Structures are given as structure tokens and as C-alpha cells.
């Protein structure tokens, strides 16, 4: 049972207001980019290969993304139907794509010679796309971030770091000040995407309440993910009726779609966003050609929306600043489908009706969208919808879909039926779906 409005936690009420645009948008672009694009073995290359700061320095010295044009990225996102984008302002390796006054380890000190975050926010705003910034709570470059005893630091267990002293409070001061810069220097930031908590490194270990209060004071209306206290593995207190201040505004499951969406203790849906890679790496990996198809992505996007969720789809630009051609091709194909069918994605949510066997439903008020993945043998059944449909249209071209009552369905009086065959033949025969990816029928309910 949903809690009464008089009992709603103020944090939940604020979350509901601030995430309204986010839940209408449904589809965004994630961009993982940094020094790791040069070794081109993924964004965790330092961790996986135990690379020291000294050995990693070569990539800082070489970083010169001569073809960096965030306007090209923004157009690709817009044409794919994406409504917001999140860029890695700083990833785990500590390298900053922005001109922070608290470090020399930044893009302005490389051959790039510019603030790459500034160019990103300007380009995406120009295309009407909301902007978000990712900031890693981890920092494998900073001297005061624990190394030897940390479970995922590249120098974990390295005897040279065993007796090294760390001023972790000093690191937290540094981290907070950099986040303050991101909140103050780039105009309105729509999303702050923190990554991530682990082991004992969570919540107040990051001085999370202080950090959240500072971000919200500088960016009223910003939405924040849940990873100051959680990770991709679990959601944290955002799922409770009394979330902590650091619980965030939306959960961020990684590479998985929750089987029933995400709900709180009272059965109320909470905002969430599944983040996925287009291949098997977040950062650029030259050898990784295991790209998902546009059909896979579109169907997973539909699944997310049908469960009240969003999708944040990642691209990993290369060392020159180019989104890989394979990624651009997939985004273009997604965009073709979205151009004709996005009405069934934007502003939509979980349907009042149960999931059908042949696909999914999404819904926006009186409009129910049937996402048909699998063709039927004979007429396609809309279970329990008899006398509930005013009219049906193929959403891609607006063409009429006739409701039928086949002679062989007398035992199913509660169900409505449609098919895509010629008039007079639609009752018994199997016909190909108009769109093999996802045929969407708009059902206007009475």
C-alpha cells in the first residue's frame, strides 16, 4: 500500500519533483573518456595491469585528442533520441577533463590544452540535451588515497606502498573542492553521477551528507545518483521509506535490468536508470568488437520503460576524441526507430496491464503502447482488453489496425484481438510483423 501524502518523507517529495523530467526523458548517453583511451584496453586498465602513476604518466604526456568535437557527439546523441548525457569529468585514474585549480593532473596541462568539460556542456546544451557530470569518488593518482590496503587500487598489496602514510581527510577536502568547482563553473548541471562505494568506503566515509548539502545548495534542482552509499551491486537506502540524505534521487543498476523494476518498502516505484555499454567495455577498447545490435538495445530500452526505468547507454571515444564508427552506426539505427516510435518511450511508464507474452506494454495516460516482438500464429491476443480499446493505430505511420473477433476465439471472451494481414484473411493466417525490431501499436483506451 502506498503511503499517504501526509506521511511522505520530505526527501522523497523533493526527489519526486526533481526527477519528473528525468522519468519523461527515459534515454540518455553515457560517455567514458580519458587517458585510458590511449592504451585502449578499457577504463580499468590501471587496476587490471597494476600500473603505477609513473608508468601511466606516458598517457598524460601523449594525450592530444585532435578530433575532439563534442558537437558531433551531441548530434549523434540527439539523432539517436537521447535526452540527456553524462560525461566522465574524472574517472578512477584521477585525470580531470576540466580545469581544476586543485590539481595539475588535468586536460588543460596536456597537449589538448583546453577544458574539455566546458566544451561538452556547451555543445550538448546547444542541441537541447540536458547535461550530467560523472565524478569518481576513487582516485588512484592522488597521494592521499589509500593504496596498499585498498581492495581495488592498482598498487594494492605492493610492498613499496605498505608503510606509506595517507591523509584521507586531505583527499576528501580535495574531492569536495573539485565537486564544488563542477557545480559552480559550468552553469546549470542537471545530473551529478557519483561512482562508487565499496567495502567500508561508503556513505559518511566520503562525508556524504556534507557533500550532498553542498551540491544541492549550489545546484538547486540537480538530481544525484545513489552511489555515495551504494554501487551497481545494490541500491542502498533509496529503497526504504526513510532514505538517508546521501541516498540520492535515482538508483543506478549496472548492466542489468531489475526483474520487476525498483520499488520501495511500500511498493512505490523509485526512479532508476540501467546503465549499459555498447560493447563489453566502458572506456575505449580497440580489440573489443562485441557490439550489441540496435535491436537488442531498443528492446532493452522498452523493457526499462515498461518497468518505470531509464536507460543510460555508454559510448567510449578513442584517443583522438572520436566515437567509434561501430557505435555511431548503432546509434543511427536506434535513431531511425526512435524517430517513428519515440512516443511510446518518452513520458511513458509501467502499464496498468500485465506483461504480454509477445513483448511489453508501456503507457502514457489513456494511451497504451503494445511493443510486439514476436509474431503470433493467427490473431494476436490482447488479454483482458475486450471493450477497453477505442481505436488502434500502428504508431510508425498512423495506419489503422482493425480490432477483430475471430471465429476460433469464442472461448476467450475477455480478450481483444488484432493482426496485420489483409482484410478477410487476418483471422487465421500468420503474417510478418511490420517492424522486426519492435512493432508498436498505439491503443487508445476508452
Amino acid at each position: 500500500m502506498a503511503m499517504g501524502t501526509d506521511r511522505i518523507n520530505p526527501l522523497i517529495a523533493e526527489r519526486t519533483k526533481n526527477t519528473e523530467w528525468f522519468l519523461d526523458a527515459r534515454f540518455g548517453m553515457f560517455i567514458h573518456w580519458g587517458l585510458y583511451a590511449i592504451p585502449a584496453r578499457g577504463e580499468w586498465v590501471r587496476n587490471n595491469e597494476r600500473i603505477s602513476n609513473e608508468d601511466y604518466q606516458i598517457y598524460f604526456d601523449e594525450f592530444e585528442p585532435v578530433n575532439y568535437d563534442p558537437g558531433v557527439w551531441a548530434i549523434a546523441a540527439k539523432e539517436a533520441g537521447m535526452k540527456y548525457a553524462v560525461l566522465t569529468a574524472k574517472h578512477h585514474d584521477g585525470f580531470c577533463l576540466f580545469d581544476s585549480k586543485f590539481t595539475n593532473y588535468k586536460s588543460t596541462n596536456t597537449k589538448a590544452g583546453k577544458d574539455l568539460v566546458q566544451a561538452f556542456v556547451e555543445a550538448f546544451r546547444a542541441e537541447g540535451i540536458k547535461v550530467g557530470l560523472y565524478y569518481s569518488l576513487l582516485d588512484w593518482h592522488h597521494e592521499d588515497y589509500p593504496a596498499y590496503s585498498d581492495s581495488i587500487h592498482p598498487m594494492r598489496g605492493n610492498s613499496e606502498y605498505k608503510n606509506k602514510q595517507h591523509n584521507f581527510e586531505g583527499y576528501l577536502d580535495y574531492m569536495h573542492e573539485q565537486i564544488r568547482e563542477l557545480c559552480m563553473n559550468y552553469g546549470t548541471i542537471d545530473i551529478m553521477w557519483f561512482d562508487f562505494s565499496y567495502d567500508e568506503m561508503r556513505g559518511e566515509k566520503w562525508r556524504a551528507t556534507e557533500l550532498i548539502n553542498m551540491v544541492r545548495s549550489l545546484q538547486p534542482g540537480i538530481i544525484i545518483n545513489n552511489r555515495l552509499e551504494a554501487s551497481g551491486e545494490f541500491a542502498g537506502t533509496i529503497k526504504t521509506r526513510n532514505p538517508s540524505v546521501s541516498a540520492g534521487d535515482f538508483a543506478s543498476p549496472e548492466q542489468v535490468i531489475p526483474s520487476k523494476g525498483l520499488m520501495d518498502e511500500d511498493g512505490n516505484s523509485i526512479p532508476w536508470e540501467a546503465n549499459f555499454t555498447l560493447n563489453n567495455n566502458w572506456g575505449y577498447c580497440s580489440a573489443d568488437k562485441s557490439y550489441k545490435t540496435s535491436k537488442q538495445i531498443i528492446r532493452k530500452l522498452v523493457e526499462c520503460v515498461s518497468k518505470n526505468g531509464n536507460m543510460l547507454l555508454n559510448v567510449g571515444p578513442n584517443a583522438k576524441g572520436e566515437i567509434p564508427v561501430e557505435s555511431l552506426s548503432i546509434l543511427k539505427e536506434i535513431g531511425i526507430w526512435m524517430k517513428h516510435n519515440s512516443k511510446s518511450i518518452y513520458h511513458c511508464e509501467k502499464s496498468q496491464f500485465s506483461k504480454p507474452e509477445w513483448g511489453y506494454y508501456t503507457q502514457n495516460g489513456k494511451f497504451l503502447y503494445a511493443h510486439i516482438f514476436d509474431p503470433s500464429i493467427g490473431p494476436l491476443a490482447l488479454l483482458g482488453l475486450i471493450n477497453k480499446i477505442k481505436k488502434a493505430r500502428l504508431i510508425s505511420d498512423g495506419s489503422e489496425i482493425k480490432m477483430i473477433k475471430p471465429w476460433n476465439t469464442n472461448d476467450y471472451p475477455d480478450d481483444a484481438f488484432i493482426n496485420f494481414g489483409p482484410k478477410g484473411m487476418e483471422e487465421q493466417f500468420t503474417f510478418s510483423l511490420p517492424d522486426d525490431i519492435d512493432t508498436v501499436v498505439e491503443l487508445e483506451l476508452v
Side-chain angles (χ1 to χ4, degrees):
M1 180 180 295
M3 66 179 71
T5 55
D6 59 328
R7 295 175 54 209
I8 293 179
N9 184 304
L11 290 174
I12 297 176
E14 187 72 8
R15 178 178 82 196
T16 300
K17 180 181 72 174
N18 291 343
T19 57
E20 184 175 350
W21 73 262
F22 176 75
L23 297 180
D24 285 343
R26 290 305 185 196
F27 191 28
M29 174 181 278
F30 216 176
I31 306 167
H32 276 67
W33 189 49
L35 300 183
Y36 42 79
I38 300 175
R41 297 188 295 277
E43 75 294 341
W44 277 65
V45 62
R46 278 206 62 191
N47 170 286
N48 295 334
E49 300 178 19
R50 306 291 185 97
I51 301 175
S52 67
N53 282 343
E54 293 73 20
D55 289 339
Y56 200 65
Q57 181 65 28
I58 186 175
Y59 306 125
F60 180 89
D61 297 337
E62 292 180 357
F63 189 68
E64 188 177 13
V66 292
N67 293 333
Y68 174 59
D69 184 350
V72 173
W73 297 2
I75 291 171
K78 184 175 182 178
E79 291 182 347
M82 294 161 161
K83 295 294 188 179
Y84 61 99
V86 179
L87 172 69
T88 52
K90 187 199 84 169
H91 205 266
H92 310 332
D93 62 2
F95 177 67
C96 298
L97 296 181
F98 60 103
D99 188 18
S100 172
K101 68 180 181 181
F102 296 98
T103 184
N104 293 321
Y105 203 54
K106 55 186 179 180
S107 60
T108 49
N109 287 345
T110 67
K111 293 177 181 178
K114 65 176 65 174
D115 186 321
L116 303 174
V117 166
Q118 183 69 54
F120 160 78
V121 296
E122 291 176 357
F124 278 74
R125 286 188 188 125
E127 295 299 331
I129 299 172
K130 290 185 178 292
V131 295
L133 298 177
Y134 166 115
Y135 187 92
S136 171
L137 304 170
L138 293 65
D139 195 315
W140 297 333
H141 182 267
H142 199 282
E143 63 180 3
D144 283 323
Y145 196 90
Y148 179 80
S149 61
D150 188 80
S151 64
I152 56 178
H153 195 284
M155 298 296 102
R156 60 194 180 278
N158 186 319
S159 60
E160 293 183 16
Y161 289 77
K162 185 172 184 179
N163 297 315
K164 182 175 174 60
Q165 298 299 307
H166 301 282
N167 177 12
F168 189 64
E169 284 300 310
Y171 169 70
L172 292 180
D173 291 339
Y174 167 82
M175 181 184 84
H176 282 226
E177 288 303 321
Q178 284 203 323
I179 294 167
R180 182 186 300 274
E181 289 178 315
L182 292 175
C183 290
M184 292 184 66
N185 296 343
Y186 300 97
T188 300
I189 302 300
D190 301 291
I191 300 173
M192 184 63 72
W193 218 102
F194 292 119
D195 198 23
F196 59 90
S197 294
Y198 64 103
D199 300 339
E200 77 283 357
M201 310 289 275
R202 65 181 67 254
E204 292 311 309
K205 185 73 173 180
W206 306 119
R207 298 195 329 229
T209 298
E210 174 191 340
L211 182 59
I212 287 281
N213 289 337
M214 181 262 287
V215 170
R216 295 200 190 280
S217 71
L218 296 172
Q219 290 284 342
I222 196 170
I223 62 172
I224 303 169
N225 73 334
N226 64 329
R227 294 196 179 187
L228 272 169
E229 66 172 29
S231 68
E233 299 171 293
F234 54 91
T237 65
I238 194 172
K239 293 178 68 175
T240 69
R241 63 176 62 93
N242 291 301
S244 72
V245 172
S246 59
D249 301 298
F250 65 96
S252 49
E254 185 169 322
Q255 300 279 53
V256 66
I257 299 176
S259 60
K260 296 181 180 179
L262 287 178
M263 293 170 285
D264 65 17
E265 295 170 320
D266 296 301
N268 301 302
S269 178
I270 63 171
W272 62 273
E273 167 196 75
N275 46 107
F276 289 97
T277 59
L278 265 175
N279 52 7
N280 289 323
N281 285 269
W282 298 95
Y284 181 67
C285 182
S286 57
D288 182 1
K289 301 299 182 181
S290 299
Y291 285 90
K292 301 170 181 68
T293 66
S294 57
K295 182 176 182 177
Q296 285 176 295
I297 296 298
I298 289 166
R299 290 188 171 192
K300 290 303 178 183
L301 172 60
V302 169
E303 182 180 351
C304 286
V305 178
S306 78
K307 298 175 180 178
N308 285 334
N310 288 23
M311 176 187 282
L312 187 64
L313 182 63
N314 182 72
V315 296
N318 63 26
K320 292 183 177 181
E322 305 160 328
I323 296 176
V325 293
E326 297 94 338
S327 297
L328 289 174
S329 177
I330 296 166
L331 292 176
K332 185 175 181 179
E333 291 171 359
I334 293 170
I336 292 171
W337 185 90
M338 287 288 285
K339 181 179 180 180
H340 298 291
N341 298 283
S342 61
K343 190 178 180 182
S344 67
I345 300 295
Y346 305 141
H347 307 284
C348 289
E349 59 186 357
K350 181 178 180 180
S351 167
Q352 67 191 84
F353 301 100
S354 299
K355 179 191 176 307
E357 293 182 352
W358 36 257
Y360 291 93
Y361 285 130
T362 59
Q363 189 167 355
N364 182 2
K366 68 177 181 178
F367 293 102
L368 178 66
Y369 296 100
H371 294 264
I372 306 167
F373 295 171
D374 301 318
S376 63
I377 296 177
L380 185 137
L382 307 172
L383 302 185
L385 290 182
I386 194 68
N387 299 324
K388 294 181 180 180
I389 299 171
K390 181 178 179 180
K391 63 181 179 181
R393 299 289 184 265
L394 189 64
I395 193 174
S396 61
D397 63 7
S399 58
E400 182 182 40
I401 302 294
K402 296 290 287 185
M403 307 304 301
I404 59 176
K405 181 59 179 174
W407 63 269
N408 54 353
T409 61
N410 286 338
D411 282 343
Y412 316 106
D414 297 328
D415 304 335
F417 294 87
I418 60 173
N419 211 332
F420 302 93
K423 182 175 175 58
M425 298 178 62
E426 64 268 61
E427 295 185 355
Q428 298 184 58
F429 294 87
T430 300
F431 299 95
S432 298
L433 292 171
D435 188 337
D436 178 62
I437 293 176
D438 175 12
T439 295
V440 188
V441 175
E442 181 183 76
L443 305 169
E444 183 178 351
L445 304 178
V446 295

